[in-house]
Amino acid sequence: MAQTFDVCIRGAGVVGRTLALLLARERLRVALVAPAAGAQADDVRAYALNTASRTLLESVRAWPDAEHATAVLQMQVHADQDGMVCFDAAQQGCDALTWIVDVPALEARLQDAVRFQPQVEQLTEPVAAPLTVVCEGRASRTREEFGAEFDITPYGQHAIATRLVCERPHGQVARQWFAPDGSILAFLPLDGAQGNSVAVVWSVPQEQAAHWLQASDEDFTAQLRVASHDSLGALQALGPRASWPLQQAQARHWCGALPGERSQSWVLAGDAAHNVHPLAGQGLNLGLGDARTLARVLHERAAWRGVGDMRLLRGYERERKAALLPMGMAMDGLQQLFARRESALAALRNWGMKGFERSGPLKAWVARRAMGTD
């Protein structure tokens, strides 16, 4: 007899696997679809995950150990002149502002959890189900197949990611610098409290991306040492460099009926539904928020409603669009503001950062929103 499923999840990244585990707890039969894995290059990515994301991942027993999830005690954001904002965990009364999580370690924990969950079947091809959830990322082919229009605003920047070993320990501080040319450099602490390696996310004008991807390790690290104002001393390349274009994007519709199958529905989650600039490290937090909300909506449905009920899915869409709006607007506004090179604007934004640093309640509220505790 052919296996039947309640939900088919297309895409087995962090959001897809987390959602599969959440739905399995609801006794739903889940097909988790990902193509057969080929040869994998070293993954240099790291995610900044907030308290809400940590709580969610702990609930499915997928949070990595301390070596692979470094607590951030302080976050320093430097403007292109003398403006600066500093967030401190002690001032917020919490153990960490966020955690910098090693992507391969997180994916391995999720894969182990999925392997031992009998309600989840891992497949290489999609199957029919009352609900299909698209978690394939920003370049999703299924989203296009289902006719979901994806509005994209390019930023004219590419992100370059890599890892570095630093002369001085990072001290559990996440550091970010806005440069006069519009580039944004972030050093994210890795390898636990005593570590001296960092994950790098460097957003550069697209015309510079090819040059820095091809540059020698010596030239590349020398430029990063200058851009980081020598904050951690001499730098040594620890891994390859990866790059991708930056954009703000959102699907016009996040759910619908499968073409030609009125009894089957689809819904989008994670980067398949939305993209934001990485300058605040909120991309995966938003994606995990999608998974948490969709699982809750399905859990709370009336017994007579199926998992593909369009009223449920539209409620999920409205809730997540409302949650995404302020974060997306803030990230887009900051990127646009620092991309402008007029001297008057440079003076204004640095003045604004100084004022925000002294703002008290406003600064605390922004910190709580970013931490997922507000």
Side-chain angles (χ1 to χ4, degrees):
M1 182 178 295
Q3 177 70 61
T4 60
F5 296 95
D6 301 299
V7 180
C8 176
I9 299 175
R10 297 196 188 187
V14 173
V15 174
R17 286 175 178 158
T18 302
L19 179 61
L21 293 167
L22 292 171
L23 297 182
R25 292 196 312 200
E26 304 300 323
R27 309 308 299 168
L28 295 174
R29 287 288 299 160
V30 179
L32 182 61
V33 182
Q40 297 291 318
D42 290 342
D43 195 335
V44 296
R45 295 173 299 156
Y47 292 128
L49 295 183
N50 61 22
T51 300
S53 294
R54 174 171 181 160
T55 301
L56 181 68
L57 289 165
E58 285 179 333
S59 75
V60 294
R61 300 182 179 181
W63 185 253
D65 58 35
E67 180 184 356
H68 298 293
T70 301
V72 174
L73 302 183
Q74 193 176 94
M75 190 175 298
Q76 300 173 358
V77 182
H78 303 264
D80 50 350
Q81 293 181 359
D82 58 348
M84 188 182 98
V85 173
C86 181
F87 296 97
D88 191 281
Q91 292 178 359
Q92 297 297 322
C94 58
D95 294 333
L97 295 170
T98 189
W99 288 264
I100 307 304
V101 176
D102 184 67
V103 171
L106 174 58
E107 290 182 337
R109 291 297 296 268
L110 282 165
Q111 177 61 14
D112 286 344
V114 166
R115 186 180 299 116
F116 291 103
Q117 174 49 262
Q119 293 290 112
V120 179
E121 185 80 18
Q122 300 186 73
L123 306 173
T124 58
E125 296 292 337
V127 294
L131 177 62
T132 293
V133 186
V134 183
C135 300
E136 294 173 330
R138 57 189 285 166
S140 170
R141 294 182 179 179
T142 301
R143 182 184 60 220
E144 183 177 353
E145 173 190 334
F146 290 168
E149 296 178 271
F150 200 55
D151 294 326
I152 299 174
T153 302
Y155 281 124
Q157 289 183 323
H158 278 62
I160 298 176
T162 190
R163 303 219 174 161
L164 303 173
V165 175
C166 309
E167 180 182 2
R168 294 192 285 273
H170 50 61
Q172 294 181 263
V173 178
R175 298 169 171 86
Q176 188 174 55
W177 298 268
F178 289 84
D181 67 352
S183 61
I184 307 168
L185 174 64
F187 280 3
L188 309 176
L190 294 173
D191 296 334
Q194 306 304 317
N196 68 332
S197 61
V198 296
V200 176
V201 182
W202 190 23
S203 303
V204 301
Q206 61 186 16
E207 61 270 17
Q208 298 180 17
H211 169 75
W212 291 117
L213 283 172
Q214 297 165 10
S216 67
D217 285 349
E218 292 75 15
D219 290 346
F220 182 74
T221 54
Q223 180 62 28
L224 291 186
R225 188 170 183 179
V226 171
S228 64
H229 301 271
D230 203 28
S231 62
L232 294 179
L235 306 173
Q236 179 183 347
L238 188 60
R241 295 167 221 164
S243 179
W244 61 92
L246 296 179
Q247 62 189 31
Q248 183 183 47
Q250 186 173 158
R252 295 185 189 179
H253 302 287
W254 291 25
C255 60
L258 259 65
E261 297 286 349
R262 302 300 299 178
S263 62
Q264 298 179 25
S265 304
W266 59 266
V267 68
L268 306 178
D271 282 353
H274 49 76
N275 305 159
V276 296
H277 197 286
L279 64 89
Q282 291 298 312
L284 184 57
N285 291 315
L286 292 169
L288 289 173
D290 295 345
R292 179 174 55 247
T293 300
L294 183 56
R296 191 202 76 231
V297 166
L298 296 182
H299 169 75
E300 294 175 350
R301 76 187 191 280
W304 55 270
R305 288 191 185 276
V307 293
D309 187 289
M310 288 303 302
R311 183 174 178 179
L312 296 175
L313 302 182
R314 290 192 184 103
Y316 155 79
E317 177 181 0
R318 288 192 298 271
E319 182 173 342
R320 290 311 297 159
K321 281 185 174 179
L324 177 66
L325 182 61
M327 186 64 68
M329 290 179 63
M331 296 309 97
D332 185 59
L334 280 173
Q335 193 281 331
Q336 298 289 350
L337 179 62
F338 279 92
R340 301 286 293 274
R341 304 186 186 183
E342 295 90 335
S343 58
L345 274 178
L348 178 63
R349 65 197 178 215
N350 278 270
W351 173 83
M353 287 188 74
K354 292 176 184 178
F356 179 77
E357 173 65 10
R358 299 188 296 269
S359 64
L362 174 61
K363 179 182 169 185
W365 178 80
V366 169
R368 292 195 303 271
R369 290 284 293 184
M371 292 161 58
T373 59
D374 185 69

